[in-house]
Amino acid sequence: MHDDLLARAKAWLAEDPDADTRAELAALIDAEDHAELTARFSGTLQFGTAGLRGELGAGPLRMNRSVVIRAAAGLAAYLKGQGHADGLVVIGYDARHKSEDFARDTAAVMTGAGLRAAVLPRPLPTPVLAFAIRHLGAVAGVEVTASHNPPRDNGYKVYLGDGSQIVPPADAGIAAEIDAVRSLDDVPRPTTGWQTLDDSVLDAYLARTDAVLSAGSPRTARTVYTAMHGVGKDTLLAAFARAGFPEPVLVTEQAEPDPDFPTVAFPNPEEPGAMDLSFARARATEPDLVIANDPDADRCAVAVPSGGDWRMLRGDEVGALLAAHLVTRGARGTFAESIVSSSLLGRIAGKAGLPYEETLTGFKWIARVEGLRYGYEEALGYCVDPEGVRDKDGITAALLITELASALKEKGRTLPDLLDDLAVEHGLHATDQLSVRVEDLSVIAAAMHRLREQPPTRLAGLPVTRAEDLTRGTESLPPTDGLRYTLDGARVIVRPSGTEPKLKCYLEVVVPVTGHSALPEARAQADALLTALKRDLSTAAGI
């Protein structure tokens, strides 16, 4: 086995086009580090509906130029097989380590395969790439990003010509073509022949951001903004300037792209501590709201003054606020969300007489809803301009929430005031998440197995009225690895994360509210129920 492992490592080394990973792998081979070689060569990174995502390093189980070249060759073969032999593929990238190299390799592979390739001019937000696909009439798009993953990761996200991310069976078709690539020597990679785009695509994207706002709406809300060491700052500032909002106060320590993300443990606004610098800046400058993008700026986090300090709004709260704002503005079309998001959206849409749809987790599903006008997901993802960007967009979401805050400010009101109104009108919808990060993926499999073998009959003292294994699919949903429990006044969904080594449990309780004076008691009741749900679910899953 050791001889076979060394032989495979040496064969990989002989083909590796990257001096950094070659040196890394050569050192492992020289040291005969079997544990580390096994960790890198005991399989290959699997291409799925999230594309590829993994730790940077040498070998088939890491993100590196060899893996990316194979992925690009597989995608090119798939596109040609679909009748797009001379189609355009547009490529974007973030500011992570190796992102620009991976983008250039992709352009070279597409050009070598006879397709046309165009690369965005510099690291830009993922929504700019999603916009560019439809704007330029491309047959596919690639975004090199690991979004809000740790600094050591990178990833490869694939969109088809409709401008939304791939779903089955396209992922399996591309994966099969990747597997068919025998040697990198078989993949032509010219050194020129693709186009590097100028700023006209970005300008067209920014011109569309104007359409998100109502003509003549108030533009007075003051913001503190963090780019979380990512690529959002310049695009967001340009969009805010065009709209006529006060210039956001920057969290300067996190304003410029930095692939090492030095001030945060995880560059995700949802993670503990990630917003500390933003809140410090907000305490000093007293804005109306704090806005954060994740590193590739497709997500948007919002924080508001609360009880003398600052509090992050949950994704479900922002999702409901944006929906209520769009309803007030007379929006028509379908409102959609993923199954793990709050059921409040359905109530808002229903009362407004608008169509409503629930999809599987991920914008690849939300973006495909017929007649979509607005879609959101609790993980801070919002699609407020589906005609322009068929994906989550943290820039346009930031504009729309700031417009809403401005309209409320003119009336002496705040975002939390509107949330109170929604709770009185539709019931208090309180959500929380139990998220367990693991080193060993078998822990997740064991927890899912345990819940399937011994499904809970009561949680938080409430009877489970319906238990669904979503691997079987439902009337409205294709199969997915997840479990859904319906309780009297509550809902629980358990699923493995598609992009990180996490088991995620999504909890929602709905407490009826008789009026504004009853809100404090309803909140206390909801908090107690959510705490009990977490405790009982942990016990049931053995985590």
Side-chain angles (χ1 to χ4, degrees), residues 190-474:
T191 53
T192 57
W194 58 89
Q195 180 186 6
T196 300
L197 295 164
D198 59 18
D199 273 356
S200 57
V201 169
L202 177 62
D203 293 342
Y205 168 82
L206 286 168
R208 259 211 84 89
T209 64
D210 300 350
V212 173
L213 304 173
S214 288
S217 63
R219 311 278 164 96
T220 53
R222 293 169 46 253
T223 54
V224 159
Y225 171 72
T226 178
M228 205 68 62
H229 299 297
V231 299
K233 181 196 70 165
D234 291 349
T235 306
L236 181 126
L237 289 181
F240 269 57
R242 284 181 71 103
F245 288 113
E247 185 177 347
V249 173
L250 296 179
V251 179
T252 47
E253 302 93 329
Q254 299 174 335
E256 298 305 324
D258 187 332
D260 295 318
F261 304 104
T263 67
V264 287
F266 288 96
N268 177 355
E270 294 177 294
E271 293 281 350
M275 296 292 287
D276 288 356
L277 289 169
S278 302
F279 292 167
R281 190 60 41 89
R283 288 180 201 114
T285 57
E286 299 186 345
D288 298 297
L289 67 166
V290 172
I291 287 176
N293 284 139
D294 68 337
D296 68 328
D298 63 350
R299 295 168 195 245
C300 175
V302 180
V304 294
S306 172
D309 203 6
W310 285 82
R311 124 174 143 83
M312 272 275 287
L313 294 179
R314 293 194 159 276
D316 284 317
E317 292 177 306
V318 177
L321 287 167
L322 291 174
H325 184 42
L326 288 169
V327 165
T328 302
R329 283 180 24 182
R332 309 306 300 162
T334 302
F335 280 28
E337 65 181 339
S338 64
I339 56 170
V340 299
S341 305
S342 169
S343 57
L344 178 54
L345 184 70
R347 304 228 179 154
I348 292 170
K351 181 140 192 198
L354 296 174
Y356 164 76
E357 295 243 354
E358 223 178 24
T359 73
L360 291 184
T361 311
F363 262 82
K364 55 186 177 276
W365 299 108
I366 295 169
R368 287 188 152 68
V369 167
E370 280 289 307
L372 181 68
R373 174 59 188 89
Y374 169 64
Y376 99 91
E377 176 152 89
E378 54 70 49
L380 311 183
Y382 314 94
C383 174
V384 300
D385 176 25
E387 286 307 301
V389 176
R390 287 217 176 148
D391 197 5
K392 54 186 179 288
D393 181 347
I395 306 292
T396 48
L399 287 170
L400 196 61
I401 198 75
T402 308
E403 178 185 60
L404 172 57
S406 300
L408 291 166
K409 184 179 180 177
E410 297 298 294
K411 298 174 185 165
R413 305 184 76 232
T414 64
L415 296 174
D417 291 338
L418 181 52
L419 286 171
D420 287 351
D421 292 352
L422 292 171
V424 171
E425 190 175 356
H426 303 287
L428 176 66
H429 289 63
T431 56
D432 204 352
Q433 204 184 106
L434 173 65
S435 185
V436 184
R437 189 182 288 274
V438 299
E439 292 293 320
D440 177 3
L441 287 174
S442 70
V443 173
I444 294 176
M448 295 297 287
H449 179 72
R450 179 170 167 156
L451 288 170
R452 285 193 169 101
E453 292 299 304
Q454 301 168 311
T457 54
R458 290 179 84 79
L459 291 168
L462 302 171
V464 175
T465 55
R466 190 168 174 205
E468 297 168 278
D469 186 343
L470 299 177
T471 47
R472 303 192 178 102
T474 71

Side-chain angles (χ1 to χ4, degrees), residues 35-49:
E36 192 57 37
L37 288 170
T38 301
R40 292 154 183 261
F41 284 88
S42 57
T44 55
L45 266 191
Q46 289 305 298
F47 185 91
T49 52

